[in-house]
Amino acid sequence: MPAEEVASTAWGNCRYPQSHATARPIRDELAGLAANASACASFYLDTVEGMSNDFLSTEGEDHHQGLARSHRLSDGSIHFFLTHSELDPGDKGSVSWYRYDGPADGEHVLETAPLTVAPMTQLLATDEQHPADIDFLPDVEGVDGGYLFVIEEVTEKRVAVYRWSPSEGIVLQDHVFQGFPGVIPDQPLVRADGEPYDTRFGPDFVFVDRVGDYYYLGVASGHWGWGQLLRAAAADLLPFCKPGLMDVSAFVPAGMFPWPVRQSTGASQVKLVRDSEDKWFLLAFHSNPPEDPNGTDYVDLYGVRFEPFAISYRLDTVHLTFKPGDTGFASTGTRHVEASGRLLVSSSYRWAENELPDGAGYVSRVDELPSS
């Protein structure tokens, strides 16, 4: 989502990033995704054995948890980012970066035979065992770079913000501490149904985008059913209209909100989207049964307003079909809207698999589905 121009009170006309609107009303775009399974294209992320199910020692709990992608850069490349959890005591999760240089139709990847392999460019260990949902925001002025917002769900219970560029890689910028503790203050440790709360988990969802002159950052917990909204003026968050200078402290709390995307739905990721009627929505990606790589994949639709902020009840559920195999919303699900307004939805394996020819290495397949 390259930058669109918006007036800055401090720096005249600066192209601050914002996602593109879809070409059609959102329900038409989702219907297009559902009807366009034959256009689904696959490629590989060149992951490592440590991300595989063969390598696990925690009864299958370690897994990919979040997927994000960039817009198409000036050199034609597209970049993908993956969060992976490691839940054994003392282990660290990771954020990894992959460069896709294969063919593309606009910004939609195209399938090749054999599948294009996007090499890993960086594997960054995190302080967090369970980095979860991840969102990508391009930088100012349409440059080749951006920012990654990563939920740190179990150990740190916060949001890590990384700056990224092809030349510098992924570098920690700052943290947002408006997360959630594992225990709700003054609340019993046993739920109404008699089951204990799992006190390991804090926030597990994140979304960010620009609406008018402000950026809105949502940090939410399906474990709690509540979220924290933060807001920052564009000119304060991205000062001097120069790349790499995001001032994360510009985000200030703007209130709590009920969170309708509960843990029980098994949603892997959530993302904001704006449609042709300038209406905002939240997409939640889930598989049924939850966490089953061979489950049936759905995207849930929620309405969003910003002044005052609120998320609606679930408006719709749409069944999407990826390629046969282990790709799906059991772990990851993300979206990208091209400048043309075409909606792209992507997902990946839950674990790396040793399926390159002649045992050449472990990869995770990504499927990308276009709406037209």
Side-chain angles (χ1 to χ4, degrees):
M1 49 183 185
E4 293 183 359
E5 191 169 293
V6 63
S8 162
T9 56
W11 296 98
N13 288 327
C14 178
R15 288 185 295 152
Y16 291 111
Q18 181 190 44
S19 62
H20 293 291
T22 61
R24 298 173 290 181
I26 190 60
R27 281 187 168 87
D28 293 340
E29 290 294 321
L30 295 178
L33 291 170
N36 211 22
S38 62
C40 185
S42 301
F43 71 99
Y44 282 134
L45 303 177
D46 188 16
T47 47
V48 295
E49 183 180 2
M51 295 179 179
S52 71
N53 201 17
D54 305 331
F55 203 74
L56 300 180
S57 57
T58 316
E59 300 179 352
E61 288 193 3
D62 296 356
H63 57 277
H64 302 337
Q65 186 58 58
L67 180 70
R69 57 156 287 172
S70 74
H71 52 289
R72 193 172 185 180
L73 303 192
S74 58
D75 63 1
S77 63
I78 301 170
H79 299 257
F80 289 80
F81 308 91
L82 185 71
T83 58
H84 185 83
S85 71
E86 296 282 347
L87 292 179
D88 283 339
D91 283 356
K92 291 186 175 183
S94 64
V95 180
S96 49
W97 160 36
Y98 307 83
R99 179 187 177 103
Y100 176 86
D101 281 309
D105 170 23
E107 298 189 72
H108 171 44
V109 301
L110 292 178
E111 187 167 323
T112 59
L115 297 185
T116 298
V117 179
M120 179 188 288
T121 307
Q122 186 176 4
L123 177 62
L124 179 68
T126 65
D127 293 332
E128 170 61 38
Q129 284 189 289
H130 194 275
D133 200 358
I134 179 173
D135 207 354
F136 176 80
L137 182 72
D139 215 330
V140 295
E141 294 296 306
V143 301
D144 289 347
Y147 301 90
L148 297 169
F149 292 75
V150 179
I151 284 286
E152 298 185 335
E153 182 179 358
V154 173
T155 309
E156 303 296 337
K157 300 178 175 65
R158 64 188 179 188
V159 180
V161 182
Y162 300 88
R163 68 180 183 273
W164 169 81
S165 68
S167 59
E168 189 181 20
I170 302 170
V171 179
L172 181 66
Q173 188 84 350
D174 205 344
H175 294 98
V176 179
F177 291 95
Q178 293 293 331
F180 301 90
V183 180
I184 303 175
D186 302 321
Q187 179 162 328
L189 298 182
V190 178
R191 301 193 310 238
D193 60 7
E195 293 295 320
Y197 283 105
D198 190 337
T199 59
R200 292 182 301 167
F201 296 104
D204 48 352
F205 296 106
V206 64
F207 56 85
V208 62
D209 211 330
R210 177 172 63 80
V211 183
D213 292 336
Y214 290 90
Y215 284 93
Y216 290 85
L217 172 64
V219 184
S221 173
H223 310 288
W224 283 34
W226 284 87
Q228 170 72 64
L229 185 70
L230 299 103
R231 193 178 84 154
D236 296 332
L237 182 67
L238 300 166
F240 309 111
C241 198
K242 292 184 178 180
L245 296 184
M246 178 180 282
D247 181 2
V248 177
S249 68
F251 280 115
V252 296
M256 303 288 289
F257 57 89
W259 180 244
V261 187
R262 299 304 175 93
Q263 183 188 17
S264 59
T265 67
S268 58
Q269 293 187 248
V270 299
K271 294 291 169 281
L272 287 171
V273 67
R274 177 170 56 107
D275 78 355
S276 60
E277 298 176 332
D278 204 33
K279 296 178 180 177
W280 286 88
F281 299 89
L282 190 77
L283 304 181
F285 307 97
H286 81 269
S287 181
N288 187 23
E291 301 182 1
D292 183 352
N294 296 302
T296 305
D297 296 308
Y298 299 91
V299 58
D300 298 332
L301 180 68
Y302 300 83
V304 179
R305 73 178 186 204
F306 289 90
E307 295 294 343
F309 185 81
I311 301 175
S312 76
Y313 56 87
R314 186 169 60 185
L315 301 175
D316 206 349
T317 299
V318 179
H319 173 216
L320 301 185
T321 303
F322 293 104
K323 297 279 187 178
D326 295 339
T327 301
F329 296 147
S331 281
T332 68
T334 193
R335 63 82 182 94
H336 176 74
V337 181
E338 297 179 280
S340 67
R342 180 169 59 171
L343 176 62
L344 308 176
V345 169
S346 308
S347 188
S348 75
Y349 283 168
R350 185 170 175 82
W351 299 285
E353 298 184 11
N354 188 12
E355 61 184 44
L356 285 184
D358 303 317
Y362 283 80
V363 289
S364 291
R365 198 182 81 201
V366 172
D367 288 350
E368 188 168 79
L369 185 64
S371 62
S372 60

